[in-house]
Amino acid sequence: MTNSDSRETQEAREKLASAASSEVIIELDKVNKWYAQFHVLKDIDLVVHTGERIVVCGPSGSGKSTLIRCINRLEEHQTGSIVVDGITLNKNLKNIDHIRTEVGMVFQSFNLFPHLTILENLTLGPIWTRHMPKAEARETAMKYLERVKIPEQADKFPGQLSGGQQQRVAIARSLCMNPKIMLFDEPTSALDPEMIKEVLDVMVELADTGMTMIVVTHEMGFAKTIADRVIFMDEGDVVEENEPNEFFTNPQHERTRLFLSQIL
Amino acid sequence: MAIVKHEKTPARPAPLTERSVIGWMHRHLFSSVLNSILTIVTLYIVFITVRDLWVWGISDAVWIAESRRECFDINISGACWAGVLAWMDNIIYGRYPREELWRLNLGLIVLAIWMAPLWLPRVKAKILIGLSVVFLYPFMAGYLFAGGEKGIFMQIMLTAAILCLACNTLHSIIGVSGGGGLREFLFRLPVLKDAPEKSQRNILLCLFGVSFVAVFVWQIRWNLDGVPWTQWGGLFLTLVIAGVGIASALPGGIILALGRRSRLPVIRVLSTAFIELFRSVPLITVLFMATAMFPLFMPEGIVLNKLVQVIIAVCLFNACYMAETVRGGLQTIPKGQFEGAHTIGLGYWRTMGLIVMPQALKHMIPNIVGNFIGLLKDTTLVSIIGLFDILGMLRAVSVDGAWRGLHNEPLIFGATLFFLICFVMSKYSRRLEQKLSTDHKH
């Protein structure tokens, strides 16, 4: 299916969406974004339902990172509308802060706070934005550190941990905010091969809990296991959108086939 | 065919040339013929300089004499430290009335007591203590040093300062002895512990109110004679100007730097203009402007004294320099840190206060202390516009009757004093840097 055939696209989209539960949590409608003169996102339409797990892939510079950064407004889009958890993203600062506490994000470069211990990294958000008592915040933090399997590192500083451990801390930090949606921006791209698996394992476990996830990644094995839908982007367009089995075995668009042949 | 190594290679110590003193000397002092010659020549120059200094300043020096003439009679080739010693009080306190010197000493002791908890272990809320030093101590010190009539504002601030100092000291003593802090201590008292949560707050408020009133009533009767600023001088004056400058430079600098990075054009342009204006003018010009031109802009009837004008000028000047240092520090923080903070819902001020500033300030410590050292030395410029700071007093020695013409010794003494203060600051900044380092990079 291609963007040109809009009626067919619409039907296919409805079919894909009906597979998940019916509650819409993210809705992008004709979203466009430019960096100065450069058109990064072109008429993006995307509907995500609660509990859906979506993998976004595509060559570098295709706009996939920009897309998910727009969803928690680390980037501003210029035209079209983005509605997250019933709130329209616009210039209203209150809305943005609210959305950011509902949407967790994990970055390629971890972005932990190097001057704070692991535990402090985790409790900072709950204490300062959720106004949680310190003891409770610490308890929650330890619970999530156990879930990502590194409770023994709680009092160390990020600089003392391996890349894989840091990324798991970053995931735990987002989870401490009890988000409704988790965004992952190439979470394993900066890791040594030996550490990729430990991070992916944590993400698979997270997916099993029913979290709504949008993951930008090149880990196609991961995409096959957990994704409900795979989105392929190129030059700012969503070129192809399909459920993973079909996507990998029977890609429709020529560009998708080329991409898959290069990375598989 | 595979090549397999089954045994682990054990680590061995480095060769002797890497770790012995002779190895070090060979590598760093005598690595070639030219370097050997340079080493020997340098050592010789250092030797004769130190020897001459030693003979002039220590072995041939005169320590006890009544006048410069007497110094010459005892030993003409040595330094006449007797003159410096005779003027020591003047150099340190200026022309402050001699019977009131205890006020300056008390001010110093109070500062020491107030700030000591910052270095003590197990004391909580150090940031609050630091802030109270910056915002309340100046009022207490101001009254101690200047004395005179107290306005109602001064009385309130003085009361607050005394109360704060008392709480502070109590809090630190409890903290050091392992009891948590003042808050925990109060809540262990039976009156508070058994009270319901709502009345706890009222009891605390009452306690605060009663002690405030008590201190206020007490301080009304406490009166000090006024000492006009014209009698302030010496090292004391230098430290007052530099101290106020240092205490206000960092907060001012942070505000200006944030203003310069602001997204609001008006704030950005104003901050930039202010910073660039002050940075492009020499301090001495700013001082002359402050003392000569500033009064012209003031509404009639308001007469600021020269010292206040000078202090304001020094503060603004240094805030602008500090602003650029802070901006440099802010630029070392990667964008990812802001994004990380945003994703856990922190707004602008919390991102700055909790994430960005702590890291940036840590990177900036060497530059900040460099600024402070520069500021301390720059304050000697006020001697040009007629304030008798330490430099003014050191030069005044040579026009005193008994010590007429004694130029070198006081200035060398002053240089040594400045060196010691600056060296301690610089060493301390190194230690602070290492202590705060959480990079764990090898």
Side-chain angles (χ1 to χ4, degrees):
Chain A
M1 60 187 161
T2 59
N3 272 353
S4 56
D5 197 346
S6 69
R7 204 176 57 83
E8 203 177 315
T9 309
Q10 199 58 45
E11 275 171 21
R13 188 167 281 144
E14 273 162 20
K15 206 176 115 221
L16 279 172
S18 65
S21 80
S22 53
E23 198 187 332
V24 175
I25 193 156
I26 303 173
E27 190 167 12
L28 277 71
D29 185 30
K30 294 252 173 295
V31 170
N32 280 283
K33 173 163 180 65
W34 289 264
Y35 285 126
Q37 291 300 310
F38 180 60
H39 200 172
V40 228
L41 296 179
K42 300 169 181 164
D43 290 331
I44 305 287
D45 292 320
L46 177 68
V47 176
V48 181
H49 296 79
T50 309
E52 248 191 314
R53 299 176 289 265
I54 294 174
V55 165
V56 184
C57 60
S60 67
S62 58
K64 50 197 194 309
S65 286
T66 309
L67 174 67
I68 67 167
R69 288 163 65 87
C70 279
I71 292 174
N72 71 345
R73 208 157 172 96
L74 286 179
E75 306 281 353
E76 280 176 37
H77 61 284
Q78 276 98 20
T79 64
S81 83
I82 302 179
V83 181
V84 179
D85 194 23
I87 296 171
T88 309
L89 293 188
N90 49 28
K91 294 226 181 288
N92 188 334
L93 274 173
K94 269 243 143 50
N95 283 356
I96 295 172
D97 284 341
H98 181 73
I99 285 301
R100 282 177 179 160
T101 59
E102 300 292 339
V103 182
M105 177 135 180
V106 175
F107 300 88
Q108 181 178 352
S109 50
F110 326 138
N111 292 346
L112 296 176
F113 309 129
H115 63 300
L116 300 176
T117 63
I118 300 304
L119 196 61
E120 287 166 340
N121 263 282
L122 265 59
T123 54
L124 194 72
I127 289 174
W128 287 91
T129 59
R130 292 253 192 256
H131 307 289
M132 196 185 270
K134 273 184 194 165
E136 193 188 332
R138 227 171 276 147
E139 220 169 273
T140 321
M142 285 314 291
K143 187 180 94 189
Y144 283 112
L145 273 185
E146 259 153 47
R147 234 169 93 181
V148 299
K149 301 184 193 67
I150 37 177
E152 73 281 358
Q153 311 285 359
D155 294 319
K156 290 193 184 165
F157 286 96
Q160 295 167 296
L161 269 57
S162 73
Q165 290 172 327
Q166 289 194 46
Q167 193 60 296
R168 285 186 279 159
V169 171
I171 294 172
R173 178 175 73 181
S174 286
L175 291 178
C176 278
M177 294 298 291
N178 199 12
K180 292 186 177 160
I181 304 159
M182 285 286 284
L183 307 174
F184 294 83
D185 190 0
E186 305 202 24
T188 56
S189 301
L191 297 177
D192 292 338
E194 288 183 62
M195 295 167 183
I196 292 178
K197 188 174 174 298
E198 63 187 48
V199 171
L200 291 182
D201 284 349
V202 166
M203 289 169 66
V204 170
E205 271 176 39
L206 183 62
D208 290 342
T209 65
M211 175 68 74
T212 313
M213 292 163 75
I214 303 182
V215 186
V216 172
T217 185
H218 295 130
E219 297 293 329
M220 290 304 138
F222 172 76
K224 275 180 202 161
T225 6
I226 71 135
D228 295 316
R229 236 190 310 166
V230 180
I231 290 174
F232 178 69
M233 287 183 74
D234 188 38
E235 291 178 0
D237 276 315
V238 172
V239 174
E240 187 160 343
E241 186 177 338
N242 210 336
E243 55 100 14
N245 246 336
E246 278 287 297
F247 180 85
F248 289 111
T249 53
N250 187 18
Q252 301 294 309
H253 196 280
E254 190 188 342
R255 187 68 192 81
T256 319
R257 280 197 288 270
L258 183 66
F259 178 76
L260 288 175
S261 72
Q262 274 164 348
I263 63 162
L264 287 179
Chain B
M1 202 178 86
I3 300 172
V4 182
K5 190 172 184 181
H6 286 293
E7 277 152 39
K8 266 192 183 173
T9 314
R12 289 184 300 265
L16 212 54
T17 50
E18 289 296 315
R19 51 198 169 101
S20 69
V21 178
I22 294 180
W24 182 88
M25 282 171 70
H26 184 78
R27 263 180 298 129
H28 295 281
L29 299 176
F30 303 104
S31 55
S32 69
V33 178
L34 181 64
N35 284 352
S36 304
I37 294 170
L38 283 177
T39 302
I40 291 166
V41 170
T42 314
L43 282 178
Y44 180 69
I45 293 173
V46 169
F47 169 72
I48 54 173
T49 316
V50 170
R51 187 194 55 190
D52 290 356
L53 261 179
W54 173 267
V55 169
W56 177 80
I58 312 273
S59 67
D60 281 4
V62 180
W63 299 88
I64 302 159
E66 288 299 313
S67 68
R68 192 158 181 243
R69 176 113 336 260
E70 209 183 315
C71 272
F72 284 161
D73 291 343
I74 297 171
N75 191 340
I76 198 160
S77 67
C80 180
W81 295 122
V84 177
L85 289 177
W87 267 70
M88 192 57 88
D89 267 7
N90 291 330
I91 291 172
I92 292 175
Y93 298 111
R95 282 176 293 202
Y96 207 82
R98 284 297 173 265
E99 65 278 13
E100 302 285 344
L101 287 189
W102 63 271
R103 281 155 59 171
L104 308 190
N105 297 334
L106 180 65
L108 190 67
I109 292 168
V110 167
L111 181 63
I113 292 175
W114 207 319
M115 284 178 68
L118 295 176
W119 286 273
L120 290 175
R122 290 198 297 274
V123 175
K124 291 182 183 172
K126 284 189 177 167
I127 292 177
L128 277 179
I129 297 176
L131 285 177
S132 73
V133 173
V134 172
F135 289 108
L136 287 176
Y137 175 74
F139 292 100
M140 193 157 178
Y143 185 67
L144 266 177
F145 299 161
E149 283 289 307
K150 286 181 285 195
I152 183 71
F153 176 71
M154 193 61 182
Q155 297 202 6
I156 290 173
M157 292 318 283
L158 199 56
T159 312
I162 294 171
L163 204 59
C164 183
L165 176 63
C167 292
N168 207 345
T169 316
L170 205 62
H171 171 80
S172 315
I173 292 170
I174 295 167
V176 169
S177 53
L182 188 59
R183 197 186 136 80
E184 285 82 355
F185 176 76
L186 286 177
F187 276 97
R188 274 200 299 273
L189 294 178
V191 193
L192 267 173
K193 204 167 78 179
D194 305 331
E197 203 165 312
K198 218 171 182 180
S199 55
Q200 275 180 348
R201 211 189 160 134
N202 295 336
I203 294 173
L204 277 182
L205 271 177
C206 278
L207 200 64
F208 176 76
V210 167
S211 36
F212 193 90
V213 170
V215 176
F216 190 83
V217 170
W218 174 78
Q219 62 83 34
I220 288 175
R221 290 185 299 135
W222 187 47
N223 271 311
L224 293 172
D225 290 339
V227 177
W229 66 270
T230 43
Q231 290 185 308
W232 296 23
L235 181 62
F236 157 64
L237 181 62
T238 301
L239 290 183
V240 166
I241 299 174
V244 177
I246 285 173
S248 63
L250 197 53
I254 289 175
I255 292 171
L256 280 173
L258 291 180
R260 192 166 184 172
R261 284 167 57 107
S262 168
R263 280 209 250 168
L264 307 172
V266 179
I267 295 179
R268 189 174 60 235
V269 169
L270 280 180
S271 310
T272 310
F274 193 74
I275 292 170
E276 292 304 333
L277 178 74
F278 271 90
R279 261 160 45 94
S280 54
V281 177
L283 177 59
I284 188 67
T285 317
V286 177
L287 288 176
F288 272 121
M289 290 267 288
T291 50
M293 314 235 337
F294 192 57
L296 299 180
F297 299 123
M298 293 302 283
E300 236 172 299
I302 293 185
V303 184
L304 284 174
N305 72 42
K306 205 173 177 178
L307 181 60
V308 172
Q309 290 164 11
V310 164
I311 287 179
I312 291 175
V314 167
C315 288
L316 292 179
F317 186 80
N318 284 289
C320 291
Y321 267 87
M322 195 58 84
E324 287 302 280
T325 307
V326 174
R327 197 167 65 95
L330 287 177
Q331 275 164 353
T332 63
I333 305 302
K335 207 174 150 224
Q337 290 291 307
F338 292 87
E339 292 177 350
H342 289 330
T343 52
I344 54 170
L346 298 176
Y348 176 81
W349 291 108
R350 283 176 185 163
T351 303
M352 282 296 168
L354 296 168
I355 308 296
V356 178
M357 274 301 165
Q359 295 183 59
L361 286 175
K362 213 155 59 184
H363 292 171
M364 291 184 290
I365 289 173
N367 295 333
I368 291 174
V369 175
N371 267 1
F372 286 170
I373 289 174
L375 165 60
L376 178 69
K377 294 186 295 180
D378 281 352
T379 53
T380 52
L381 281 174
V382 301
S383 66
I384 295 178
I385 53 168
L387 296 180
F388 278 90
D389 76 325
I390 186 166
L391 188 61
M393 290 323 271
L394 289 168
R395 295 204 310 188
V397 177
S398 67
V399 292
D400 182 30
W403 308 99
R404 190 167 299 279
L406 190 70
H407 291 285
N408 293 344
E409 286 84 346
L411 287 179
I412 288 175
F413 169 75
T416 317
L417 198 62
F418 269 98
F419 172 77
L420 280 179
I421 297 175
C422 296
F423 188 68
V424 167
M425 279 165 80
S426 137
K427 274 284 152 204
Y428 181 68
S429 90
R430 283 290 302 153
R431 274 209 29 211
L432 203 61
E433 239 177 284
Q434 284 161 3
K435 193 178 147 199
L436 294 180
S437 166
T438 54
D439 285 353
H440 308 288
K441 283 176 192 147
H442 300 290

